[in-house]
Amino acid sequence: MSEQVPNQKFEEDEQQAVHSNIERDESVLAETMNEFDPNKDSNAQTTINNEIDVSVFEARIAELEGEVKQAKEGTARANAEAYNAQKRMEQEADKSKKFALQRFAKELLEVVDNLERAIENANEQDPVAEGVKLTHKALLDVLNKNGVEVIDPQDETFNADFHEAVGIDPEAKADTVGTVLQKGYSLNGRLLRPAMVRIGQ
């Protein structure tokens, strides 16, 4: 009988401890819920309802896209202008090359004229005449390689762009070159000297 009393006492103490822990757990849970309950905690910070205005971002995106488009167009225009400037410079350089010899070639025409006069007045039996002919031909070949071409409009229709009428040829047809007094020359299609001619009426 005396042995059962301590055991009973131990069981009662153990049940009280378990009961105490359960009550304590429930009180801790209740305290925690009360602590985070915004309805009961007057000092709690309430969450602000922050609605994002998407239209603001859409407007900014559209603005940036417009700036990108303008930048691309500006770059394209700059590239086109640079390309055009390069082409103009190349054309000017090409033109300068073509017509750099214009003055020099024009002065050489007097030498050609003198050689032709010498050939016309030379004796066919004179060996010097043959040398003059060869010199004349070689000079014309060099001029031709550099873009100089002869304008010899005998019996052609008169063209004021390349011919200069200095008289009337009664035996020639109307508006036709009858007599060529002096041959003309062009340099790469540009007139160096017009041909002096007589034309029919």
Side-chain angles (χ1 to χ4, degrees):
M1 188 77 167
S2 58
E3 292 179 1
Q4 293 179 352
V5 173
N7 290 337
Q8 184 177 2
K9 175 73 174 164
F10 176 77
E11 290 177 359
E12 289 176 357
D13 290 341
E14 187 178 1
Q15 289 178 358
Q16 286 178 359
V18 172
H19 184 68
S20 175
N21 287 336
I22 293 173
E23 288 181 351
R24 186 172 179 278
D25 289 342
E26 288 179 353
S27 63
V28 170
L29 179 60
E31 288 175 4
T32 304
M33 292 180 66
N34 289 332
E35 182 180 352
F36 292 97
D37 188 353
N39 296 323
K40 293 183 179 181
D41 190 356
S42 59
N43 295 325
Q45 296 181 353
T46 58
T47 304
I48 299 174
N49 187 15
N50 185 15
E51 294 184 359
I52 298 175
D53 190 356
V54 179
S55 63
V56 175
F57 293 97
E58 290 176 346
R60 181 57 179 158
I61 291 171
E63 182 182 350
L64 293 174
E65 287 177 346
E67 291 177 1
V68 171
K69 183 179 180 181
Q70 288 179 357
K72 287 182 178 180
E73 290 175 352
T75 302
R77 282 195 298 271
N79 289 339
E81 289 175 2
Y83 178 79
N84 292 335
Q86 181 182 356
K87 286 299 177 183
R88 282 194 296 270
M89 290 177 64
E90 290 176 356
Q91 289 174 357
E92 289 297 325
D94 190 47
K95 185 186 278 187
S96 297
K97 285 180 184 178
K98 283 183 177 179
F99 304 113
L101 297 175
Q102 183 171 347
R103 184 175 178 181
F104 178 67
K106 196 169 184 178
E107 292 179 356
L108 281 179
L109 297 183
E110 296 181 9
V111 178
V112 175
D113 292 339
N114 290 333
L115 290 173
E116 288 178 350
R117 291 189 192 100
I119 292 170
E120 288 176 2
N121 296 317
N123 186 346
E124 292 291 336
Q125 304 301 323
D126 189 351
V128 176
E130 187 63 26
V132 173
K133 288 180 181 179
L134 293 175
T135 303
H136 174 258
K137 184 178 182 303
L139 181 56
L140 287 180
D141 288 342
V142 171
L143 289 172
N144 188 257
K145 286 179 182 177
N146 288 277
V148 178
E149 295 181 357
V150 179
I151 300 174
D152 188 4
Q154 183 71 48
D155 298 326
E156 293 181 3
T157 302
F158 177 75
N159 185 347
D161 292 334
F162 296 99
H163 311 151
E164 182 180 354
V166 295
I168 302 299
D169 188 339
E171 296 182 2
K173 297 178 181 179
D175 294 328
T176 302
V177 175
T179 305
V180 178
L181 301 175
Q182 186 182 63
K183 294 176 183 178
Y185 292 88
S186 65
L187 175 61
N188 294 313
R190 178 186 289 183
L191 185 65
L192 268 179
R193 185 182 76 183
M196 296 176 62
V197 299
R198 291 192 182 123
I199 60 173
Q201 283 185 321

